[in-house]
Amino acid sequence: MSATLSRLPLIPLSPLVQTSIDSAKYLAAITQNLSEHPDDTRLQKHLSSTREKLDQITKHTQTIQVSFLTQFSTQEIAQEIAYINSQLFRLVVLDSAWIANYDKRVNVIPMLDFHRYLSHAFAHEIICSSSRNDGNIVAHLIQIATMLLFVYRDFSGCTAILKCLQMPEIQRIENAWSQCPPKMIKVFKELLPLISPDNQYEVYRQALWSLTHKFLDMPPMRSRMVAIPFMHAHFQVIQTIPSTVQILEFCQQFTKIDPSILGPTTSSVKFTQDPKKPSMDLEQLHT
């Protein structure tokens, strides 16, 4: 996978934008029908209610566009990210031969693009926030990353934030980091090894085992998503650890897997579930 893009990234539409598009199409269809049947009271009511709904969506979208990251709760943002990532991961075709050859039919590009998009979008937000002295933004992002990892088991979203915070241009913004509580800095440093490629992403693989091994004691339930993996790590080790495809299948579809394949690794870094933050069933995610 090339480090540079020679194409436009495939960024999914937000559910709000998609709803707006669908409502606009529906409104156009009703308007067309009403022009042919101007006395149809049922169509007139549909036209009025649809127009009102579209106006509300437009106002909501405009409100979001002028809002800052810290104006939204960590729960709201984490849930939105996990929802989108779960939908993108569901579209990935886990064919061993295709994955080994980086075949486009695997359809992993949208997921990788969204991961990259998140990193750069959050970096942009931090840079902009430095001019308005928003000292909470780094801590806010660390909290979101923590929630993505421990509540939603969304390793993709979590590592996207870690990569953002690790960018040299972000590390250089002293006022953003100086206002971040030491406790949150400590959390960030504890999570940072997740994106380390050392020993074939050993820390990440340890974390994946730590947060998913409880599913090994449950009967397999096809189509139930267990976790959203850090896809870049899996694609980096696919040639040396072919069983990574089985791990991806386990994460995506809750298929039966040999426990020894999932882990644990020999890494000394441990990731334990916070009892105050119960994990979510990814099948119940909604936006």
Side-chain angles (χ1 to χ4, degrees):
M1 289 177 288
S2 174
T4 58
L5 287 175
S6 58
R7 56 176 176 75
L8 289 174
L10 301 175
I11 307 303
L13 288 175
S14 76
L16 189 62
V17 172
Q18 187 61 60
T19 302
S20 176
I21 293 172
D22 293 341
S23 296
K25 289 180 179 178
Y26 187 50
L27 181 63
I30 294 175
T31 302
Q32 176 64 34
N33 288 338
L34 197 57
S35 67
E36 298 171 1
H37 308 282
D39 298 325
D40 191 323
T41 56
R42 184 179 62 85
L43 284 176
Q44 290 173 356
K45 289 181 180 179
H46 276 315
L47 180 69
S48 178
S49 61
T50 303
R51 183 172 287 153
E52 182 179 350
K53 178 183 178 181
L54 188 57
D55 287 343
Q56 290 175 346
I57 293 172
T58 301
K59 289 178 182 177
H60 191 190
T61 302
Q62 291 171 342
T63 300
I64 292 174
Q65 288 173 337
V66 297
S67 300
F68 300 119
L69 182 68
T70 50
Q71 291 177 269
F72 298 96
S73 73
T74 55
Q75 168 65 35
E76 289 174 322
I77 299 172
Q79 181 171 311
E80 287 294 322
I81 293 173
Y83 173 79
I84 294 173
N85 273 328
S86 68
Q87 300 305 304
L88 292 175
F89 182 41
R90 205 179 301 278
L91 297 175
V92 175
V93 181
L94 298 174
D95 181 282
S96 299
W98 289 357
I99 291 177
N101 293 309
Y102 305 111
D103 194 303
K104 289 183 178 180
R105 288 175 290 181
V106 174
N107 198 33
V108 73
I109 290 177
M111 190 173 178
L112 295 175
D113 279 354
F114 186 62
H115 181 276
R116 189 181 298 108
Y117 164 79
L118 281 180
S119 294
H120 289 279
F122 285 140
H124 175 76
E125 185 76 15
I126 295 172
I127 292 169
C128 291
S129 73
S130 63
S131 62
R132 60 177 188 268
N133 199 29
D134 186 353
N136 293 324
I137 190 164
V138 170
H140 206 64
L141 282 170
I142 294 171
Q143 289 176 323
I144 294 168
T146 302
M147 187 167 291
L148 284 167
L149 181 64
F150 293 108
V151 176
Y152 296 103
R153 301 181 300 286
D154 181 358
F155 291 85
S156 184
C158 173
T159 54
I161 293 176
L162 296 178
K163 281 181 171 289
C164 159
L165 295 175
Q166 187 67 356
M167 291 178 181
E169 53 268 49
I170 300 304
Q171 288 283 311
R172 287 195 294 265
I173 305 177
E174 294 183 5
N175 65 325
W177 290 95
S178 63
Q179 297 181 63
C180 183
K183 181 180 178 181
M184 297 311 301
I185 297 289
K186 181 175 181 291
V187 171
F188 169 63
K189 290 181 177 179
E190 290 173 348
L191 294 179
L192 199 55
L194 282 171
I195 59 175
S196 170
D198 291 351
N199 199 16
Q200 299 178 319
Y201 289 91
E202 183 180 28
V203 173
Y204 160 68
R205 290 187 289 116
Q206 171 68 40
L208 185 61
W209 176 85
S210 296
L211 298 179
T212 62
H213 75 276
K214 64 180 180 181
F215 290 93
L216 294 173
D217 298 326
M218 303 178 188
M221 187 185 302
R222 194 164 184 80
S223 296
R224 178 183 177 183
M225 191 172 292
V226 172
I228 305 167
F230 176 25
M231 293 299 289
H232 180 78
H234 291 280
F235 273 77
Q236 289 296 311
V237 303
I238 187 65
Q239 302 298 338
T240 52
I241 309 179
S243 60
T244 193
V245 178
Q246 295 177 51
I247 295 175
L248 291 175
E249 289 175 342
F250 170 72
C251 290
Q252 186 191 62
Q253 304 168 11
F254 196 7
T255 54
K256 189 174 182 179
I257 188 173
D258 184 335
S260 64
I261 292 177
L262 186 61
T265 70
T266 58
S267 170
S268 60
V269 180
K270 304 299 179 185
F271 292 84
T272 55
Q273 185 73 47
D274 184 347
K276 296 180 182 179
K277 297 178 180 178
S279 60
M280 279 283 296
D281 183 343
L282 295 179
E283 295 304 316
Q284 296 179 4
L285 262 179
H286 58 83
T287 183

